[in-house]
Amino acid sequence: MAGPRVVIIGAGVVGAALADEISARGWTEVTVVDQGPLPATGGSSSHAPGLVFQTNSSKTMTELARYTVEKFCSLDVDGKPCFLQVGGLEVATTPERVAELHRRHGWITAWGIEARLLSPEECVEQHPLVNPDRVLGGLLVPTDGLAKAVLAVEAQIRRATERGVTFLARHEVLDVQQADGRVTGVLTDQGEIPADIVVCCAGIWGPKIARMAGMNLPLTPLGHQLAWTGPVPALAGQTEEAVRPILRHQDADLYYRDRFDAIGIGYYGHRPMPISADDILPVDEADDMPSVLKFTEDDFAPAWTETQSLLPTTKDAKIEEGINGLFSFTTDNFPLLGESSEVKGFWVAEAVWVTHSAGVGRAMAEWLVDGHCSSFDLHECDVNRFEQHQLAPAYVLARDCRNFVEVYDILHPLQPSGDPRPIRTSPFHTRQQEHGAVFLEANGWERPQWYEANSALLEGRSIPTPNDWAAQYWSPVVGAEAQATRETVAMYDMTALKRLEVTGPGAAGFLEGLVTGKVAKSVGSVTYTLLLDEDGGIRSDITVARLARDRFQVGANGNLDLDWLTRHLPADGTVQVRDITPGTCCIGLWGPLARKVLQPLTDEDFTNEGLKYFRAKNAYIGTVPVTAMRLSYVGELGWELYTTADQGQKLWDTLWQAARPLGGIIAGRGAFNSLRLEKGYRSFGTDMTYEHDPYEAGVAFAVKPDKGDFLGKAALERRKTAVQRQLTCLTIDDPHSVVMGKEPVYDGERAVGYVTSAAYGYTIGKGIAYAWLPAELATPGTPLHIGYFDRRVEAVVAAEPLFDPTMSRLRG
């Protein structure tokens, strides 16, 4: 036996995959417990219909699904396959869905999986039961198919058992034992099992188990309808379980699969049916299994009517059985993976459907054994990503139910998540409403996208209108605000950005050991730098301002940065980290006239000599105490001005009163994004993630190899000379061809990369798209094409930055 003592709670498709993957990496002192029988334990895996569609707007989710497909294709149980690779077909019955299938084809192509768009006739050839009069087109992914979930569980249990893993059926977990802030074991109804690591893979019971370790898991089990027809005459004599592609009719919230001469019908169009994990019946009290609730025929009636229209042969059959099966939903539709921030050694792998199960098993095994996951970028899935309000039970229930309703909806990338709103408002919110702010949401914050009060700026300007899709959640005022920022001065609400305070006598040394740049500099210094993982991948890009000898302010990207810093705190108590975002606010005052606005309001020297670029100082702006940092994410002269929340509105009013006579404006996020891309500034989570290193991402200037050791430094040395891909700036001449992100990039007919961020550059008069490309194609002047719905948009690689390459405007 090797490795630490591991207990995995749950032997469903995720727990079995983790046991298999972790034992394959040499950890064999592993025990898997489940309250039900094996291999059909009674959870979601036991009733899952098994449809695996790999297409997803998230590259990570697609890659997790791709690994699941590849692994399941290699598994069998006594000659019975664990995956039936019949392909996956999505059909469109409306013009809007046809366009959406083109977008989805772009995603799957960008992520490197074969797919093709079909005509109505080709859809019927693939799935002859489909009504040719209803279908306008389709998307086929040949490697999709049907996972035999229970067989896959059994196959992985057998493999893990051969390596020494112990599986204990009929063991109900009563408590997660802990001492001194870390797990020590699991208490079951049949005794204690000591453990160094406990991994919760309990699925719909996840919140209940996690609570035993003091963890609030934002997951809701919801009932989902699955029905089976009796024999369909047109399928009479079918001896293979499945011969047609799995089928999705997303316009009606439906999916279908073969089962010999019958058809399975899944339906998301009914009312949400949430249930508390505490109210799920015990294994021995359930009529069938705990995850199966009684079928509600009235909810299914619209689905059956629509099915008979799309698949006319079902009119000769009837529904013979059905369930309301429980599945896990989360507030952002991503899994919940990672270690508790409060109890060391307690991990979760939750809200994982069969589609992604084997991929998650591998990701978790790498994370546990190696200390980081090398195969997948998990920043979207980390369980510690949530802000506190996102863990509120009312919030979780509302968002999870909404996600159930929207599971097959066509969602715009800027579309707000809906109620509950508003949740977080900056001190400027009332003033923004007075100016007609159009709010979108960012981590719960109401963030203006543009201001209707700026409509007068359009006079005398020619702002190109993008295509219909890009024109959603857009206004020509966005372009006017961007141009006006470069002409005069603008105020931007930057409150939504995460702010952390690092203090204590060990603060400087602590940060030096985690970041790629030198931050232990003079008081007033500000440093743009990176946090890296052990393998040299970028965990975040941050700014670190030294505001006193033992006090630093970190401009972070989100709660994962707080979690990362907290996990690495020294045990001697010489460093403290806290989130100061809720009690503070920030205004970005940027533009060529910014100094003319600010200097008359203060006795401090804000000349170029008085506060140089990337320096900070304390000052009074009128009566308001601020921390002023000379930074600019729009590429113009200016400052980030921080104060406490109670004085935020006064700061706003003071600056606005001074800016307005100079032609100053207030501007929104739409203009901000355009301006940052003109300047070539990266956005973590969009342009670069854990899978990228600084040399690939174009931020190597933030790495100071001559400084002392820091986390990830050794790995960087290995990666420095192995750059094979590069984050690259593309420009688009057609002003109406504004892409949105995640589109494939083509070199001829070959898909070679994908777009990250994109916007129209209102200063340079071109569309801008940043994209990951092979290094050999990242040469300025290289012509390429971007796949955008059913079009190919001409683009060319451009040298960056596109605006002010000499930095004269920033440093003036």
Side-chain angles (χ1 to χ4, degrees):
M1 305 290 277
R5 297 170 300 176
V6 179
V7 173
I8 298 172
I9 302 173
V13 75
V14 180
L18 176 55
D20 179 34
E21 295 283 344
I22 203 170
S23 60
R25 284 163 175 75
W27 282 16
T28 54
E29 197 166 348
V30 178
T31 303
V32 185
V33 298
D34 199 291
Q35 63 184 337
L38 299 177
T41 61
S44 301
S45 303
S46 301
H47 69 73
L51 288 82
V52 175
F53 288 92
Q54 298 167 85
T55 308
N56 196 291
S57 62
S58 164
K59 181 172 180 281
T60 295
M61 295 300 280
T62 293
E63 290 177 341
L64 291 169
R66 172 165 45 194
Y67 181 80
T68 301
V69 167
E70 292 170 354
K71 182 175 183 180
F72 282 9
C73 282
S74 71
L75 298 177
D76 71 89
V77 175
D78 301 329
K80 293 178 288 186
C82 294
F83 195 78
L84 307 178
Q85 201 158 43
V86 293
L89 175 63
E90 301 179 36
V91 294
T93 58
T94 64
E96 293 80 11
R97 186 66 62 176
V98 171
E100 174 70 356
L101 292 186
H102 280 279
R103 186 167 72 122
R104 295 175 67 79
H105 179 258
W107 295 340
I108 198 74
T109 302
W111 313 146
I113 294 178
E114 178 192 355
R116 55 192 177 95
L117 293 158
L118 305 183
S119 67
E121 296 76 19
E122 290 172 318
C123 290
V124 176
E125 289 176 11
Q126 290 289 328
H127 203 299
L129 302 188
V130 168
N131 183 351
D133 297 330
R134 290 293 313 279
V135 176
L136 302 179
L139 172 64
L140 179 70
V141 179
T143 53
D144 286 347
L146 281 169
K148 307 289 291 179
V150 174
L151 280 180
V153 168
E154 185 173 358
Q156 292 175 102
I157 286 176
R158 289 185 180 186
R159 285 159 51 122
T161 301
E162 290 174 357
R163 301 187 191 104
V165 174
T166 300
F167 286 81
L168 300 177
R170 299 287 184 177
H171 280 60
E172 181 182 358
V173 174
L174 303 178
D175 194 18
V176 175
Q177 298 171 314
Q178 49 195 291
D180 300 323
R182 68 169 306 115
V183 297
T184 59
V186 169
L187 176 65
T188 77
D189 59 352
Q190 299 190 44
E192 297 181 5
I193 306 172
D196 304 302
I197 294 171
V198 174
V199 188
C200 177
C201 303
I204 54 179
W205 290 278
K208 182 177 179 179
I209 300 297
R211 203 181 310 125
M212 297 175 185
M215 190 175 188
N216 185 359
L217 203 63
L219 178 159
T220 304
L222 282 112
H224 160 56
Q225 292 200 301
L226 176 66
W228 296 96
T229 70
V232 177
L235 304 182
Q238 181 173 316
T239 57
E240 295 182 62
E241 180 177 351
V243 296
R244 279 162 289 278
I246 55 176
L247 178 66
R248 277 207 280 208
H249 175 26
Q250 293 171 292
D251 286 320
D253 298 303
L254 285 161
Y255 63 78
Y256 305 94
R257 57 151 295 178
D258 289 9
R259 189 174 70 177
F260 301 103
D261 63 351
I263 294 175
I265 306 168
Y267 186 43
Y268 287 105
H270 55 79
R271 61 191 167 88
M273 303 176 187
I275 184 172
S276 169
D278 297 315
D279 294 333
I280 301 171
L281 291 175
V283 172
D284 293 330
E285 294 181 21
D287 291 337
D288 184 0
M289 61 182 77
S291 61
V292 169
L293 306 182
K294 184 179 178 181
F295 187 60
T296 49
E297 294 184 15
D298 289 346
D299 290 304
F300 193 74
W304 182 230
T305 300
E306 178 62 23
T307 295
Q308 292 175 88
S309 175
L310 183 73
L311 307 176
T313 57
T314 58
K315 292 178 181 178
D316 300 322
K318 62 180 181 179
I319 299 297
E320 289 199 346
E321 56 180 303
I323 62 171
N324 289 358
L326 294 177
F327 287 100
S328 301
F329 279 79
T330 63
T331 56
D332 57 6
N333 291 316
F334 286 101
L336 307 173
L337 311 179
E339 186 182 23
S340 164
S341 61
E342 302 294 331
V343 179
K344 292 184 183 300
F346 183 77
W347 293 69
V348 299
E350 288 289 343
V352 181
W353 292 7
V354 173
T355 298
H356 309 101
S357 59
V360 166
R362 176 173 180 173
M364 291 297 296
E366 291 179 353
W367 200 348
L368 286 161
V369 175
D370 302 332
H372 65 275
C373 177
S374 57
S375 296
F376 308 97
D377 162 36
L378 296 181
H379 84 276
E380 295 169 309
C381 307
D382 193 313
V383 70
N384 295 294
R385 64 190 180 268
F386 299 104
E387 299 289 331
Q388 281 299 309
H389 74 273
Q390 294 170 321
L391 300 175
Y395 178 94
V396 173
L397 180 61
R399 287 290 169 93
D400 289 357
C401 288
R402 183 183 179 93
N403 286 340
F404 179 90
V405 171
E406 293 180 343
V407 71
Y408 279 171
D409 286 2
I410 299 170
L411 300 176
H412 192 276
L414 295 180
Q415 187 168 326
S417 299
D419 292 334
R421 282 183 70 191
I423 297 175
R424 309 173 84 182
T425 57
S426 78
F428 323 129
H429 189 252
T430 299
R431 295 292 185 260
Q432 292 165 342
Q433 288 177 310
E434 292 169 357
H435 284 82
V438 176
F439 292 100
L440 300 182
E441 183 189 1
N443 287 326
W445 291 99
E446 296 295 312
R447 188 165 67 184
Q449 191 73 359
W450 71 86
Y451 295 87
E452 289 294 343
N454 287 331
S455 296
L457 290 173
L458 292 170
E459 186 174 350
R461 301 180 190 271
S462 178
I463 305 297
T465 301
N467 53 80
D468 290 346
W469 182 251
Q472 294 184 49
Y473 305 98
W474 176 88
S475 164
V477 173
V478 168
E481 290 177 358
Q483 291 179 352
T485 301
R486 298 238 187 268
E487 295 162 358
T488 55
V489 63
M491 293 165 50
Y492 288 84
D493 181 1
M494 304 301 291
T495 302
L497 297 182
K498 192 84 161 175
R499 291 173 292 285
L500 308 176
E501 186 178 71
V502 181
T503 57
F510 165 69
L511 288 170
E512 282 286 337
L514 287 179
V515 303
T516 61
K518 296 180 180 180
V519 297
K521 299 186 290 189
S522 62
V523 172
S525 65
V526 183
T527 307
Y528 174 83
T529 187
L530 307 171
L531 297 171
L532 302 181
D533 217 327
E534 291 281 359
D535 65 350
I538 301 170
R539 286 201 65 97
S540 190
D541 64 333
I542 60 175
T543 55
V544 179
R546 190 171 200 173
L547 302 182
R549 182 178 181 275
D550 296 332
R551 180 165 62 91
F552 295 80
Q553 182 170 311
V554 175
N557 282 296
N559 211 56
L560 289 179
D561 293 346
L562 174 60
D563 181 70
W564 185 254
L565 294 180
T566 302
R567 288 182 187 280
H568 288 88
L569 284 174
D572 60 8
T574 57
V575 185
Q576 297 80 43
V577 178
R578 69 185 183 104
D579 183 0
I580 62 172
T581 312
T584 57
C585 58
C586 179
I587 295 174
L589 181 72
W590 295 313
L593 302 184
R595 188 173 283 125
K596 291 187 176 181
V597 172
L598 194 64
Q599 189 62 78
L601 300 175
T602 181
D603 294 332
E604 292 290 332
D605 184 1
F606 277 87
T607 64
N608 200 37
E609 293 72 26
L611 187 62
K612 294 181 178 179
Y613 187 52
F614 266 80
R615 297 288 297 178
K617 68 162 58 176
N618 294 324
Y620 282 94
I621 306 302
T623 62
V624 180
V626 303
T627 298
M629 298 187 194
R630 191 165 168 199
L631 313 176
S632 172
Y633 285 96
V634 300
E636 293 291 340
L637 169 68
W639 302 268
E640 292 179 357
L641 303 171
Y642 298 90
T643 191
T644 51
D646 61 320
Q647 299 197 63
Q649 185 168 298
K650 181 62 176 176
L651 177 62
W652 179 281
D653 291 343
T654 301
L655 292 172
W656 179 236
Q657 200 168 21
R660 186 168 52 181
L662 297 175
I665 66 164
I666 54 177
R669 189 68 180 186
F672 176 94
N673 196 49
S674 170
L675 296 170
R676 80 154 179 98
L677 288 177
E678 288 185 331
K679 193 59 183 164
Y681 292 142
R682 277 63 168 146
S683 174
F684 178 80
T686 304
D687 298 317
M688 54 190 185
T689 67
Y690 296 178
E691 67 176 302
H692 306 116
D693 68 47
Y695 307 108
E696 298 170 326
V699 288
F701 64 88
V703 178
K704 306 302 179 187
D706 58 334
K707 64 170 281 188
D709 193 28
F710 56 86
L711 184 61
K713 184 177 182 180
L716 273 193
E717 289 300 314
R718 295 190 298 270
R719 297 179 71 153
K720 185 175 182 179
T721 57
V723 175
Q724 297 181 339
R725 58 185 173 179
Q726 191 168 324
L727 185 63
T728 306
C729 180
L730 306 176
T731 57
I732 302 165
D733 287 338
D734 182 357
H736 307 296
S737 296
V738 177
V739 300
M740 300 291 291
K742 302 188 177 181
E743 298 89 357
V745 179
Y746 293 91
D747 178 26
E749 293 302 311
R750 180 173 63 109
V752 292
Y754 59 92
V755 174
T756 58
S757 295
Y760 189 77
Y762 297 99
T763 309
I764 66 167
K766 293 177 182 289
I768 306 168
Y770 272 79
W772 281 101
L773 297 175
E776 64 270 17
L777 293 177
T779 304
T782 302
L784 299 165
H785 289 86
I786 299 172
Y788 188 66
F789 290 90
D790 59 346
R791 301 174 49 215
R792 293 287 181 91
V793 175
E794 293 184 358
V796 64
V797 175
E800 56 172 330
L802 299 169
F803 178 80
D804 188 27
T806 64
M807 304 281 282
S808 59
R809 294 174 73 100
L810 274 171
R811 298 179 182 276

